[in-house]
Amino acid sequence: MKKLIFPFILCFSLYLSSFFRLTIARGGEPSPNRSGFVENSSVGSLRQLLEEDHFRKLEKLARGYMSNSEVEKAIKAFVDRCSHISRIYSIGKSVLGFPLWVMEISDKPGEEEAEPAFKFIGNVHGDEPVGRELLLLLANWLCNNYMKDPLATLIIDKVHLHILPSMNPDGFSLRRRGNANNIDLNRDFPDQFFPMNDDLGTRQPETKAIISWLREIRFTASASLHGGALVANYPWDGTENKQKNYYACPDDETFRFMASLYSRSHYNMSLSKEFRGGITNGAFWYPVYGGMQDWNYIHGSCFELTLEISDNKWPAANELPTLWEFNKMSMLNLVASLVKEYMEGYFHQIVEGLCLPLLQSRE
Ligand SMILES: [Zn+2]
């Protein structure tokens, strides 16, 4: 699986994870503090009231966010405006029949080339909508800066970038984590240790769409965008014995490089007090089973990160421009890191600059 060889990987090889506190975002059940849900409550009506209150709060927060049909319009408007570097396609439909639209961005969209493919997936969890907004901003920034900005030009010329702004449009419209069947899509993939998701009949249409997408396109790397913490998470997510331990996959160094590249390019992710360097091994944080990240690595040979890009799962919409600025360089650098020229050439100094603080942080 060692298909990515980063020339500067040695800079990161001694990097050790530290003692991270457990918080809930990418996995587990929504935490009572963050979501308003009370798990295991024996008082059903109280729980219902809290859920209704939670929904009302999210309804308020949804003002200023694009609805599903507005996201669809924005995707189509983007592809109309930037048809020279993009195309649109759907990988399937949600439970309620909403198309799962993807934008492909490349100088030769839809054509087979000897170039790496990268995918971004937003809104895996319905109540984590920041990613879908940022992905539309990313697509438009790339289009606006093609042939003007070297990084935009490099990505469009040398990568096939596929962007699925919302994997869970039904969950978004229901203002909740799961899909329309209330299934957590990031627990619905086949698992390497446990057979709980092996029954094809119960697999959700959104999950099936991702699985068949990976059979069609050979992605080199990818990232899914979540909220509820600020950290770049990498495999393995699960451990064989269900213990919370650092559980390294065979490409641990490459993954730590990718996660560090994201966190060091971010405005403040690497300054985290909770996660040393702003990165974490998934199983060390807390084990997750049936997640999309490990499945991508095992079955698609695709290096996937799970990016938690906002402590607040559903921040007010007026914070979106700031969140975009905080994540912009991280997103661009992560995609560009698949390109040999980027790693060896004129961005050499940036990468060296990233390397130094990491070495210092080991002391
Ligand atoms: Zn999530």
Side-chain angles (χ1 to χ4, degrees), residues 183 187-204 207-208 211 215 289-291 295 298-299:
I183 300 294
R187 302 293 181 281
D188 196 42
F189 285 81
D191 190 85
Q192 64 173 322
F193 300 122
F194 303 105
M196 72 272 191
N197 294 332
D198 289 353
D199 181 0
L200 272 172
T202 60
R203 194 164 295 151
Q204 298 304 300
T207 316
K208 284 181 186 167
I211 289 176
R215 292 202 184 106
Y289 299 96
W295 183 85
I298 295 167
H299 295 274

Side-chain angles (χ1 to χ4, degrees), residues 25-27 124-125 127-128 177 186 225-227 306 308 313:
R26 108 205 113 105
V124 179
H125 291 132
D127 59 351
E128 295 166 18
R177 181 181 179 87
N186 202 32
L225 303 177
H226 293 253
T306 305
E308 303 281 355
K313 282 182 186 232

